[in-house]
Amino acid sequence: ADPATDISALLPPPETPAPTPAGAGAPRTAERAPAPSPAPAAAIATPPTPEAVKKTRDTSRLTVTGGQRHITDRMRAAAAAEPEGEAAEGQRALFRRLFEDSYVTVRAILRDVERGRPVPGETVRALASNLAGGTLNDKDLLLNFVNLRKRGDYLVPHSLNVAILAINVGVQLGYEVERLGELGCAALLHDLGMLRLSEELLATRRRLSRKELAAVRDHPAAGLKALTSVSSYPETTPLVLYQEHERCDGSGYPEGTRGDAIHDFAKIVAVADVYDALISRRPWREAESPFKALADVLQMAESGLLDPAASRGLLEALSRFPVGSWVELTDGSVAKVVAARPDGLDRPEVAVLTSLANKSYQRVDLALEKGLSVARAVEGSERSIEHLLEGF
């Protein structure tokens, strides 16, 4: 589907989540800690039941007058206090440090799980809480780092990016801070089962054999077994590990579960997972541009594969021209999208490249510049200047 089309009829407004009581435990963060219900790792190694899905869904809703207002006010205050000049550069440096430290932590978590070493649940919850706090303070700055691609292992940046994207979708759906942290925990660990697949299988360029395809489709169950390495986690985490490859129309795996039988968190992580996979280079294909990847996600929502509310949340978080993508403006200049405007999805804030030699740019809010707009997305080989504003 072309994102230029009006999708308001296609994607209904997101459902309003409802509150869950706060629990004990305080991960190291300036934000309120996520309040998951820790589950002993060894207690969950079997597929979740429909009753478990319903139970955790019923406790993860939040009224508009509660969480959504709190989140909206929090983000509005952060935007009003946006720093300028040296202060802005300092904030960007802090967010880069948050992203890089998070990358190191995710790498250590996955390495220990792969080797069967114990992983403190507190480590995962603290990381998820920090990412949620960073999102509430400046979601666009953190989203820009999703587009950075490190050489080497795919699973580490993918796990981190899916967590950042899922938390952003959760914000758009109105989840309060505790639930954002819980969602982040599940997203960080969503692909643990991939650690049980061979590197040769993951790197193959050919069509998979029936046996290999069966191994891939078994990785959600393998993820539940791998989760036993983590000392504690929210009770929604195994639900997401097992269900995030299910599809709303029942065409997914491993159970072919459909509709309301799929947990809301799994639907959100599925959208984030698909989007990040599409913008990543894989052995069998090149990476898609963020613009094209978002269009594909919306098409999958239209066709009944992905959840419409979660897909709309991703659109609102990224804008029609996703944060981190390159565009050409109507005056012929080239710019990088650096901030989304949910109330103006086709008029984001951009960094206009003013000098290739000096790598200089000027920030322009297209919501305020009525005589200037996006003419088109810059695709493929045209993005040769992409490295100039990495992480901006």
Side-chain angles (χ1 to χ4, degrees):
D2 183 351
T5 60
D6 179 13
I7 64 162
S8 58
L10 169 64
L11 300 178
E15 295 180 359
T16 309
T20 180
R28 299 184 304 275
T29 176
E31 304 302 324
R32 289 190 295 163
S37 304
I44 301 178
T46 57
T49 64
E51 291 74 19
V53 174
K54 183 179 186 303
K55 172 189 173 186
T56 54
R57 175 184 289 114
D58 290 345
T59 59
S60 67
R61 304 290 188 186
L62 182 65
T63 62
V64 172
T65 55
Q68 182 64 64
R69 182 177 298 167
H70 167 73
I71 295 296
T72 302
D73 291 347
R74 172 72 177 280
M75 298 187 77
R76 188 174 293 145
E82 184 175 342
E84 299 180 355
E86 292 185 4
E89 291 297 330
Q91 180 157 312
R92 279 193 283 272
L94 286 174
F95 271 73
R96 179 181 282 274
R97 179 66 181 271
L98 169 63
F99 182 84
E100 292 177 347
D101 287 352
S102 299
Y103 184 94
V104 171
T105 302
V106 172
R107 183 173 60 191
I109 290 170
L110 296 183
R111 181 191 60 219
D112 287 347
V113 170
E114 185 175 25
R115 296 176 180 178
R117 296 174 178 173
V119 174
E122 171 70 12
T123 299
V124 183
R125 292 196 297 272
L127 174 55
S129 181
N130 285 334
L131 292 175
T135 297
L136 295 178
N137 286 328
D138 194 330
K139 76 176 184 65
D140 296 306
L141 193 51
L142 193 55
L143 278 172
N144 269 280
F145 291 112
V146 169
N147 294 279
L148 293 181
R149 294 292 152 188
K150 293 182 179 289
R151 295 172 181 264
D153 186 27
Y154 165 78
L155 193 56
V156 175
H158 177 65
S159 299
L160 178 56
N161 290 346
V162 168
I164 293 172
L165 291 164
I167 288 170
N168 271 273
V169 173
V171 167
Q172 299 303 322
L173 296 182
Y175 289 124
E176 61 182 353
V177 178
E178 289 87 351
R179 300 303 286 181
L180 293 177
E182 187 171 338
L183 174 60
C185 284
L188 286 167
L189 302 175
H190 80 280
D191 249 350
L192 288 187
M194 298 296 284
L195 295 170
R196 298 294 191 258
L197 300 178
S198 69
E199 292 185 10
E200 179 183 2
L201 176 59
L202 295 175
T204 186
R205 295 172 178 265
R206 58 174 171 75
R207 187 180 183 88
L208 297 181
S209 67
R210 186 172 300 179
K211 182 178 180 180
E212 290 169 332
L213 186 59
V216 171
R217 288 177 173 265
D218 189 54
H219 89 263
L224 293 180
K225 296 177 182 178
L227 188 60
T228 59
S229 292
V230 184
S231 63
S232 64
Y233 41 78
E235 60 183 341
T236 49
T237 297
L239 297 174
V240 172
L241 263 69
Y242 196 70
Q243 290 193 324
E244 66 102 3
H245 286 287
E246 300 288 4
R247 296 295 177 252
C248 294
D249 65 354
S251 64
Y253 64 88
E255 300 286 349
T257 307
R258 65 172 63 229
D260 288 342
I262 305 172
H263 194 274
D264 294 344
F265 281 10
K267 293 176 181 178
I268 293 171
V269 171
V271 167
D273 175 65
V274 168
Y275 176 78
D276 187 70
L278 290 174
I279 64 172
S280 304
R281 184 179 180 181
R282 306 298 290 129
W284 56 89
R285 61 162 173 79
E286 293 297 319
E288 288 189 0
S289 71
F291 181 83
K292 176 66 165 58
L294 182 58
D296 286 347
V297 168
L298 297 179
Q299 177 61 50
M300 292 176 74
E302 181 181 14
S303 63
L305 293 170
L306 296 177
D307 182 63
S311 300
R312 183 183 182 90
L314 183 68
L315 171 66
E316 292 175 345
L318 296 177
S319 89
R320 176 187 165 198
F321 302 98
V323 173
S325 65
W326 286 86
V327 294
E328 181 182 320
L329 304 182
T330 49
D331 65 355
S333 57
V334 176
K336 184 177 184 179
V337 180
V338 295
R341 295 287 178 263
D343 54 348
L345 296 177
D346 60 346
R347 302 191 69 83
E349 186 171 349
V350 298
V352 180
L353 192 64
T354 56
S355 172
L356 277 171
N358 298 326
K359 301 182 181 179
S360 58
Y361 59 87
Q362 177 183 358
R363 288 184 74 123
V364 176
D365 190 342
L366 295 179
L368 303 178
E369 296 290 336
K370 300 303 183 183
L372 191 63
S373 61
V374 175
R376 67 185 183 94
V378 177
E379 303 277 355
S381 60
E382 296 178 272
R383 294 180 290 139
S384 59
I385 57 174
E386 187 161 338
H387 64 284
L388 294 180
L389 296 179
E390 274 195 351
F392 173 74

